[in-house]
């Protein structure tokens, strides 16, 4: 008897056992390509016209190069022409003899069964020889006719030319041509008449075997040379070097290899600056290893497109300022960026800064303010185009330098209001300076490029300049004020870390050690393979590592000749009508914050919280204290020994400055000055 | 002097010509039968006697070629 168990949906004891699927593929089945797939393809199609022919500069450069090259070749062969004449005189009779005997030999059919006839003669076999000779005679019987007709035609042509009145030049040309042809026929096959000298540096070809062995030797997890795969097109020439794109096996990422660039160069037996690995485009385990024909320090540099006589830039668009190891130009947008250039003396800082200045210079809407505290006048030629220019390490230069920063702060304040107004009018949709706004006359929103060379001198000489500069950098970024700082000592005393932190684009030229490198590029940069220590000062001037651009990596600033530099400055002057854009800064008296703090403290107040103090200071002297925050006031007054203490406001205690502390600080200062 | 030179030149040309003929036309007509391969009979309608010198071919190797072949044979044998 079987008990029928009634079906109950909610029976807790019941559970369904699904059949396991055994066997069969787990992978999704391969799908045939449909037309929709084909239509949706977005692969890159390489441009048909070569890159050099697409731009007028490229075409001009190509034409110029070709003209120069052919002129050189012509001169070289003209110089060697006596040698060629001697060779021709030697070879031409031989050629004539060869040509004549070849025709004769062909006409008599000398080549027909020649060896058979000789064999018959060797064996003293007249029967065979005679029959072979008959064959030869039969086959070549018509050839004399051909030769005869040819000679007749030639004769007719010569007579015709003479009758038609060919000038003697023509006859000479014909003779020369004939002699040259004869010489060509008469020369031995391996001795060309014209010398072909090849002048080029030799370079051992980069092979897959070299790459594989080198990567295995790095011991980053690749065990067998065969584990590396090279996707098509394999190792090929790319610019002035070889590009090997390969996939690392398994889960090994390319950055592991990048960290060991020195070891890779050692394994390839090449200088470090000839080996340039980077992460490949397809996945993180792909490496693009570029190996130059020569070390990059020995390579020249392509022409700078900004050196063209018609150059005109825009700070809103990417403009070239440097080249990478593969000689490709690197571009950057100047606007809404700030730049920090660091490096030891002789690393090419000033010129690196100048490349950026050049971009700004060739945009006639940009106002330039340059202060250099090296004191040698690196930018003296640009001075007439700058609304403010300071040079030197004296008090006057430092005051101008700090005035620039103060002006920038005040300008930020003014610009904020202007942008707000523009946004309300609908002219600045993102609350940022647009190219239209910048170009509009009287908008007061034109871009400003502020270059401070050897800025550590300023920060050391003028207390508070660093903090003000930091404020200006932070606020000015969105308001069209571009800061470019160049320094050789990036430590925390001469260049506060806060400044470094708010500058995104950093360019580390030759530095001595890891510490300086990381101070400029950010902590861990050295370990990630971004290091300016590989460059030698002087020899590798202009070379550096750049972060904060599209592709972090090595960058070499353009370094045109002094004539080209002068031409660029002249072009900028022409664009700007040989006048500076914008107004010079007004000399703002440096204010004594301690005295001001005591001034704004009203009678009966025992102290003020920092925020209130900052507000009152800004009211007292807006041209100097614009944008000052509670934090900054606290830091500035801390230098005078004013502690942050509790100040009673209403019923709560807030941190601030007490009158007693301010008075004590004042007394201390008076005693010190006595 | 001039005569000697001319004589030498002529001799050289003749020698070269003979060498060339040894290559392109190594056989000459038999001197005994005038290249006919058989001796002419005195009487008519009588079969002529074959030439034994040239073995009825009417052709004989030139002296130069014969010497050359002999020399080559000797060289090969050595």
């Amino acid at each position: 008897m079987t008990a029928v168990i009634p079906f109950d949906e909610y029976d807790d004891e019941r559970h369904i056992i699904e059949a396991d699927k055994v066997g069969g593929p787990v992978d999704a089945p391969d799908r045939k390509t449909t037309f929709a797939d084909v239509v949706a393809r977005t692969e890159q199609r390489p441009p048909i016209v070569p890159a050099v022919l697409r731009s007028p500069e490229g075409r001009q450069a190509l034409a110029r190069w070709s003209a120069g090259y052919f002129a050189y070749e012509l001169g070289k062969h003209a110089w060697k022409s006596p040698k060629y004449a001697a060779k021709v005189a030697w070879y031409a009779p031989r050629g004539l003899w060869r040509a004549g005997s070849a025709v004769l030999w062909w006409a008599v059919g000398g080549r027909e069964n020649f060896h058979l006839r000789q064999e018959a003669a060797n064996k003293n076999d007249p029967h065979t020889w005679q029959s072979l000779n008959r064959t030869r005679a039969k086959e070549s019987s018509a050839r004399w006719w051909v030769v005869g007709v040819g000679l007749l035609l030639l004769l007719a042509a010569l007579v015709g030319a003479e009758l038609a009145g060919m000038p003697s030049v023509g006859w000479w040309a014909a003779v020369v041509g004939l002699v040259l042809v004869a010489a060509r026929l008469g020369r031995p096959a391996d001795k060309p008449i014209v010398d072909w000298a090849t002048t080029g540096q030799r370079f051992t070809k980069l092979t897959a075997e070299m790459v594989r062995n080198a990567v295995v030797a790095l011991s980053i997890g690749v065990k067998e040379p065969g584990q590396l795969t090279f996707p098509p097109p394999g190792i090929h020439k790319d610019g002035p070097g070889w590009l090997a794109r390969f996939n690392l096996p398994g889960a090994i990422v390319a950055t592991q290899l990048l960290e060991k660039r020195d070891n890779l160069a050692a394994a390839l037996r090449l200088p470090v600056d000839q080996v340039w690995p980077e992460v490949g485009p397809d996945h993180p385990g792909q490496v693009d290893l570029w190996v130059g024909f020569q070390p990059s320090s020995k390579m020249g540099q392509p022409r700078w497109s900004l050196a063209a006589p018609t150059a005109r830039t825009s700070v809103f668009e990417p403009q070239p300022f440097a080249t990478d190891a593969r000689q490709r130009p690197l571009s950057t947008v100047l606007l809404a960026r700030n730049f920090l250039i660091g490096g030891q003396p002789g690393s090419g800082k000033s010129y690196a800064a100048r490349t950026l200045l050049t971009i700004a210079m060739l945009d006639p809407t940009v106002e330039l303010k340059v202060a250099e505290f090296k004191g040698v006048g690196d930018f003296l030629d640009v001075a007439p185009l700058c609304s403010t220019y300071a040079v030197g390490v004296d008090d006057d230069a430092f005051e101008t330098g700090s005035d620039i920063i103060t002006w920038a702060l005040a300008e930020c304040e003014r610009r904020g209001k202007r942008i707000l107004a523009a946004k309300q009018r609908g002219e600045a949709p993102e609350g940022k300076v647009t190219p239209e706004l910048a170009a509009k006359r009287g908008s007061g929103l034109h871009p400003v490029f502020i270059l401070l060379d050897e800025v550590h001198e300023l920060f050391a000489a003028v207390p508070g300049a660093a903090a003000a500069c930091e404020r200006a950098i932070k606020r000015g970024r969105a308001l069209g004020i571009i800061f470019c700082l160049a320094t050789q000592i990036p430590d925390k005393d001469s260049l506060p870390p806060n400044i470094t932190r708010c500058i995104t684009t950093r360019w580390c030229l030759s530095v001595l050690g890891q510490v300086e490198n990381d101070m400029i590029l950010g902590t861990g940069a050295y370990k990630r393979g971004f290091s300016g220590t590989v460059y030698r000062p002087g020899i590798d001037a202009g070379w550096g590592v750049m972060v904060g651009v599209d592709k972090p990596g090595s960058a070499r600033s353009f370094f045109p000749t002094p004539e080209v530099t002068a031409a660029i400055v002249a072009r900028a002057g022409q664009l700007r009508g040989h006048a500076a854009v914008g107004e010079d800064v007004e000399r703002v008296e440096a204010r004594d914050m301690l005295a001001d703090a005591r001034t704004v403290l009203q009678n009966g107040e025992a102290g003020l919280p920092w925020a209130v103090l900052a507000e009152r200071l800004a009211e007292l002297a807006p041209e100097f204290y614009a944008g000052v925050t509670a934090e900054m006031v606290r830091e500035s007054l801390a230098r005078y020994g004013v502690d942050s203490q509790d100040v009673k406001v209403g019923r709560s205690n807030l941190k601030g400055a007490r009158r007693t502390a301010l008075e004590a600080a004042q007394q201390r200062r008076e005693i010190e000055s006595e | 002097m001039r005569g000697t030179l001319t004589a030498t030149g002529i001799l050289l040309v003749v020698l070269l010509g003979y060498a060339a003929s040894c290559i392109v036309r190594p056989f000459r007509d038999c001197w005994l039968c005038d290249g006919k391969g058989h001796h002419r009979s005195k009487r008519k309608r009588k079969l002529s006697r074959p030439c034994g010198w040239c073995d009825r071919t009417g052709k004989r190797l030139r002296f130069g070629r014969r010497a050359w072949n002999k020399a080559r044979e000797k060289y090969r044998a050595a």
Side-chain angles (χ1 to χ4, degrees), chain A residues 55-58 60-61 64 301-314 318-323 327-332 355 358-359 362 558-560 564 567-568 571 575:
Chain A
S55 67
E57 290 88 21
Q60 279 168 16
R64 215 176 304 115
Q301 206 168 24
R303 275 174 67 85
W304 191 10
S305 64
L306 297 194
T310 55
R312 188 193 170 112
T313 61
S314 164
Q319 303 290 344
F321 65 96
T323 51
Q327 306 256 8
R328 294 175 300 189
L330 288 173
S331 298
T332 183
T355 56
T358 301
I359 300 176
L362 289 169
F558 280 109
F559 188 77
V564 175
I568 293 173
R571 167 70 183 159
L575 282 173

Side-chain angles (χ1 to χ4, degrees), chain A residues 610-632:
Chain A
W610 295 120
V612 179
L613 190 54
E615 268 174 37
R616 290 207 184 158
L617 284 173
E619 274 171 34
L620 178 74
E623 76 282 357
F624 190 74
Y625 291 121
V628 77
T629 62
E631 192 72 359
M632 289 175 205

Side-chain angles (χ1 to χ4, degrees), chain A residues 354-398:
Chain A
R354 186 185 261 270
T355 56
L356 298 170
L357 177 67
T358 301
I359 300 176
M361 201 157 70
L362 289 169
D363 182 343
T365 61
V366 178
E367 178 176 351
L368 307 173
K369 289 193 186 295
V370 175
E372 44 158 321
F373 304 107
K374 201 198 270 177
V376 295
D378 278 343
F379 299 94
L380 210 56
D381 50 343
V382 194
L385 305 176
C386 301
S387 58
T388 309
Y389 179 79
V391 57
V393 280
D394 48 10
D395 288 349
D396 196 38
F398 288 139

